[in-house]
Amino acid sequence: MSLSTWALRAGYRGLRAGMFRYAGGDAERVHEAMISLLAKAPAGARGRVADPITVAGIRFPNRVGLAAGLDKDGLAAQAWARFGFGFAELGTVTVLAQPGNPKPRVFRAMSSEGIINRMGFNNRGAAELAETLRAKGVARGNQALGIPLGISIGKSKVTELEAATQDYLTSLRLLAPYADYVAVNVSSPNTPGLRSLQAAGELAELLGALTGEAAALSARRPVPVFVKLAPDLEGTDLRETVAVINDSRVAGVIATNTTLSRHGLLPADRHLADEAGGLSGRPLTARALSFVERLAATTQLPVMGVGGIMSPADGARMFDAGASLLQLYTGFIYEGPALVRGIQELRRPL
């Protein structure tokens, strides 16, 4: 880690102490305040060109991106390049605006460097996100905000599983003009029944419809479709799901989402074990890495590695496991922009 990155890390940790105390330690209120502040940031910064790569026809200025969940409604979309990210994934959004699950629904496992959340796809809806991006001058491929933007789409809570495909298709139609890629979220544990869409039969129907619609919207250059999987998918279920993905026209896989497991929570955080929701951060590190290793061994598709990347060394191991790109969420909360820069320094010493 360079001296400047070390200083950036130390400065952020001082700021983090105050942020984590804000609003009585309410993690969601801190998140909302951060997004409100970043929403006022001017556009214009370009992604740091440290380790460029082209994946699915998209040129990324570097391989470290922001994961979905931090900026659900794209309010701070113009700010993420300023933190050194090479891309940002907005959402997850649904066709219907929805409030998400009852609060409180976000819990910091401080000793374990983890977060448990059961947000439940709270968002303003796909049409609202499309309008927000249009107003910011975003169009697919123009990188008006300095970096490529992915958009994660999910199923509205009130939509029956039998109608899920149409729900996703409507979001795709609304957002394809603004997305450099679309991520299909079938792996959140916080929408009842959603993970059943990872099953081979259901996933084949959904991915076939979405990639077909993407081609219909732009036969010459369909928007790339990625699918995001849960780290709890194992054994025969995982093999069958990957076989479906390999036979589809998707552009890549995002691995992983949060886990329902509570393995890795330290004793000081065990009181959170019974809180419903997905666990992210340090307790997910080994599980996500193992998942990416298994996935990379069974598919030729590019993989975005996400989950438990809490240090530059974790990022390096994820690349070694076969990931082409990385995404940060909980690691960024705990370590700040120094983590983004530190991973890039390992990839390409400055």
Side-chain angles (χ1 to χ4, degrees):
M1 183 182 294
S2 68
L3 182 60
S4 62
T5 301
W6 180 88
L8 182 63
R9 181 173 183 259
Y12 177 78
R13 288 199 160 194
L15 176 64
R16 186 189 74 181
M19 289 170 55
F20 281 15
R21 289 194 299 267
Y22 175 77
D26 185 322
E28 187 168 357
R29 286 186 63 187
V30 172
H31 183 179
E32 291 169 348
M34 178 189 72
I35 294 298
S36 294
L37 180 63
L38 293 178
K40 301 172 184 176
R46 292 288 162 186
R48 182 183 179 89
V49 182
D51 186 24
I53 186 173
T54 298
V55 174
I58 307 164
R59 187 179 187 278
F60 297 88
N62 70 68
R63 301 180 187 228
V64 185
L66 180 77
L70 266 175
D71 192 3
K72 293 176 180 290
D73 296 305
L75 300 177
Q78 78 285 354
W80 301 115
R82 296 182 179 275
F83 290 99
F85 286 111
F87 64 103
E89 188 171 305
L90 310 176
T92 296
V93 293
T94 52
V95 170
L96 303 174
Q98 54 187 39
N101 293 320
K103 299 177 181 181
R105 53 194 183 183
V106 186
F107 308 88
R108 296 192 201 98
M110 290 287 293
S111 295
S112 310
E113 293 186 293
I115 293 174
I116 294 172
N117 94 83
R118 51 173 179 264
M119 300 291 280
F121 290 166
N122 55 305
N123 73 101
R124 300 179 181 185
E128 181 76 11
L129 175 57
E131 175 57 27
T132 295
L133 295 177
R134 187 201 64 77
K136 293 178 185 290
V138 172
R140 182 186 167 203
N142 73 353
Q143 297 199 20
L145 304 183
I147 51 177
L149 296 177
I151 300 178
S152 175
I153 58 176
K155 184 188 77 68
S156 304
K157 186 175 182 178
V158 299
T159 299
E160 298 294 337
L161 284 170
E162 294 76 12
T165 296
Q166 290 303 315
D167 206 66
Y168 282 94
L169 283 170
T170 304
S171 290
L172 176 67
R173 294 178 189 122
L174 288 166
L175 294 166
Y178 309 98
D180 290 294
Y181 69 87
V182 169
V184 182
N185 189 341
V186 288
S187 51
S188 169
N190 299 320
T191 295
L194 186 76
R195 285 190 169 187
S196 68
L197 296 176
Q198 294 179 119
E202 289 79 358
L203 191 61
E205 175 190 347
L206 177 61
L207 296 183
L210 288 170
T211 55
E213 183 65 16
L217 291 170
S218 177
R220 184 178 63 84
R221 197 168 64 97
V223 63
V225 175
F226 285 71
V227 59
K228 187 170 185 174
L229 299 179
D232 306 319
L233 197 60
E234 297 180 331
T236 301
D237 291 339
L238 176 59
R239 288 192 295 273
E240 291 178 351
T241 293
V242 173
V244 164
I245 292 170
N246 286 339
D247 288 340
S248 73
R249 289 183 288 173
V250 299
V253 185
I254 302 172
T256 64
N257 213 315
T258 57
T259 180
L260 289 172
S261 170
R262 295 297 181 258
H263 181 75
L265 281 180
L266 297 179
D269 297 320
R270 290 302 301 176
H271 64 286
L272 297 172
D274 292 332
E275 293 288 354
L279 173 63
S280 60
R282 177 62 66 195
L284 182 55
T285 302
R287 192 181 192 99
L289 182 64
S290 174
F291 191 97
V292 168
E293 287 175 336
R294 284 178 284 147
L295 185 62
T298 55
T299 185
Q300 296 299 308
L301 292 168
V303 176
M304 294 190 191
V306 55
I309 302 171
M310 308 297 290
S311 71
D314 294 331
R317 281 189 284 270
M318 193 66 88
F319 283 127
D320 290 342
S324 299
L325 298 161
L326 305 184
Q327 295 181 337
L328 306 180
Y329 183 103
T330 304
F332 183 65
I333 297 297
Y334 278 93
E335 296 296 325
L339 178 57
V340 184
R341 185 185 293 182
I343 294 172
Q344 292 173 23
E345 288 177 350
L346 278 185
R347 288 290 303 178
R348 187 182 212 180
L350 302 180

